[in-house]
């Protein structure tokens, strides 16, 4: 099992550009999550999904969008990138309320 | 509101013990503990559920005081590999976690 995979690993964007961060899991988990982690800080929940077709906002959803058309994939869309979105983005998945498994992260810089 | 972790940082010698605390202002359904090494993803250590169920790791244990809305992580006989940042995540019934700011642990030989 690959677990949770994320692409790309690194990305530099210019202000105003858009991009999609990809996340996939092969553990048949129903719950998936997107977090951001600013330097030296904890994780903040952006969006989450409890199953295909169902998504909801977390603590810091502004400037982001998600979709979940399959159990395996949970892409995160950044529209009109801003310097405040410079962060490391982690995708995670879990089976219900059990432990969350994290992907390796995407390091995003917006200049 | 995010849980408060203490201490913010701790330095140990190999073999010493440590306790990391996590306090919440909200009623807790669950507490998760994760360790993150520099430049890596968080890795699951321990989960404690309301009602006392817990599951975790070999030399790491934890307590969950529902009344005080607190959890503590106990690291015994620390090893060099224990170094990293420890995060608690407090959960609601939907498993949405709110993470604390982290506790940086350094274990020296």
């Amino acid at each position: 099992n690959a677990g949770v995979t994320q692409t790309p690993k690194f990305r530099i964007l210019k202000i105003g550009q858009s991009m999609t961060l990809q996340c996939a899991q092969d553990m048949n988990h129903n719950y998936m999550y997107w977090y951001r982690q600013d330097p030296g800080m904890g994780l903040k929940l952006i969006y989450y999904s409890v199953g295909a077709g169902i998504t909801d906002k977390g603590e810091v959803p502004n400037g982001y969008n998600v979709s979940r058309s399959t159990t395996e994939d949970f892409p995160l869309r950044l529209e009109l990138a801003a310097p405040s979105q410079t962060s490391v983005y982690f995708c995670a998945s879990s089976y219900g309320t059990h432990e969350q498994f994290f992907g390796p992260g995407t390091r995003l810089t917006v200049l | 509101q995010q849980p408060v972790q203490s201490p913010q940082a701790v330095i140990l010698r190999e073999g010493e013990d440590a306790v990391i605390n996590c306090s919440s202002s909200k009623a807790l359904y669950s507490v998760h503990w994760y360790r993150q090494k520099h430049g890596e993803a968080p890795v699951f250590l321990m989960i404690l559920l309301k009602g006392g169920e817990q599951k975790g790791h070999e030399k790491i244990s934890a307590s969950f005081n529902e009344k005080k809305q607190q959890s503590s992580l106990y690291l015994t006989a620390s090893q060099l590999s224990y170094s990293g940042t420890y995060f608690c995540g407090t959960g609601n019934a939907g498993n949405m976690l709110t993470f604390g700011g982290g506790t940086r642990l350094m274990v020296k030989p």
Side-chain angles (χ1 to χ4, degrees):
Chain A
N1 284 355
V4 180
T5 57
Q6 292 183 239
T7 56
K9 285 195 170 71
F10 304 93
R11 184 73 186 265
I12 298 174
L13 283 182
K14 292 184 179 175
I15 294 171
Q17 287 185 319
S18 300
M19 77 164 293
T20 299
L21 281 67
Q22 301 291 345
C23 173
Q25 52 93 7
D26 62 359
M27 296 174 280
N28 203 31
H29 286 165
N30 51 349
Y31 284 40
M32 294 187 76
Y33 317 82
W34 274 106
Y35 293 94
R36 60 175 286 172
Q37 185 176 35
D38 297 334
M41 306 293 281
L43 297 146
K44 295 215 180 286
L45 183 65
I46 304 171
Y47 270 96
Y48 65 97
S49 168
V50 300
I54 306 167
T55 62
D56 210 344
K57 295 177 182 178
E59 293 174 79
V60 290
N62 291 345
Y64 307 94
N65 269 303
V66 293
S67 60
R68 184 129 178 244
S69 55
T70 66
T71 299
E72 295 77 21
D73 300 298
F74 191 39
L76 177 73
R77 178 89 179 151
L78 276 75
E79 305 281 1
L80 299 174
S84 61
Q85 292 179 305
T86 293
S87 193
V88 179
Y89 291 83
F90 288 103
C91 177
S93 71
S94 68
Y95 183 69
T97 57
H98 296 267
E99 63 264 34
Q100 296 186 16
F101 292 83
F102 285 81
T106 294
R107 192 174 297 273
L108 177 69
T109 303
V110 182
L111 300 173
Chain B
Q1 203 159 4
Q2 73 175 131
V4 176
Q5 288 186 232
S6 63
Q8 287 189 314
V10 60
I11 299 174
L12 297 175
R13 293 282 177 194
E14 260 186 302
E16 291 181 336
D17 302 339
V19 180
I20 300 171
N21 301 301
C22 176
S23 294
S24 174
S25 57
K26 292 184 177 179
L28 298 180
Y29 179 84
S30 67
V31 179
H32 292 219
W33 286 95
Y34 292 82
R35 177 171 61 212
Q36 185 179 32
K37 293 189 181 279
H38 184 69
E40 298 181 7
V43 173
F44 170 78
L45 292 175
M46 175 79 63
I47 183 170
L48 302 105
L49 301 175
K50 194 173 178 178
E53 185 183 346
Q54 103 181 33
K55 99 180 177 179
H57 206 264
E58 220 174 71
K59 288 189 182 178
I60 299 174
S61 61
S63 63
F64 182 15
N65 188 323
E66 295 167 33
K67 216 170 175 182
K68 291 187 176 178
Q69 293 161 194
Q70 290 176 347
S71 177
S72 295
L73 187 72
Y74 305 95
L75 306 165
T76 56
S78 58
Q79 305 167 9
L80 295 176
S81 61
Y82 284 12
S83 293
T85 301
Y86 289 76
F87 292 99
C88 68
T90 54
N92 56 27
N95 204 38
M96 299 315 116
L97 297 181
T98 303
F99 283 90
T103 294
R104 286 165 187 72
L105 179 75
M106 182 184 292
V107 181
K108 293 188 171 182

